[in-house]
Amino acid sequence: MTTQPNQPQPNRPPTPMTPSARPSDPAPPRRRPLIVGSWLWVGLPLAYGVYELVHKAKQLFTG
C-alpha cells in the first residue's frame, strides 16, 4: 500500500527539532554582525521617519 504525499503517516513519530533549530536559542556568533547590521539598516531610517512624523504633526496641530 502506498500513501499519498499529502496524507499523514500514522506509524511515523514526529521528528524532533534539532538543537540548532530551536527558536529560543540565540543566534550563532558568526551571524550576530549580520543581524545587528540588518536591524540598523531598517531601524535607523524607521526611527528618523517616526521623528519626522512627530515633528511635522506638532507643526500641523500647533500652528
Side-chain angles (χ1 to χ4, degrees), residues 11-34:
N11 296 335
R12 214 169 165 195
T15 55
M17 294 180 73
T18 60
S20 63
R22 288 187 191 137
S24 62
D25 286 346
R30 61 188 167 94
R31 299 202 71 184
R32 284 192 184 130
L34 176 66

Side-chain angles (χ1 to χ4, degrees), residues 27-43:
R30 61 188 167 94
R31 299 202 71 184
R32 284 192 184 130
L34 176 66
I35 293 169
V36 170
S38 298
W39 275 106
L40 289 174
W41 183 262
V42 173

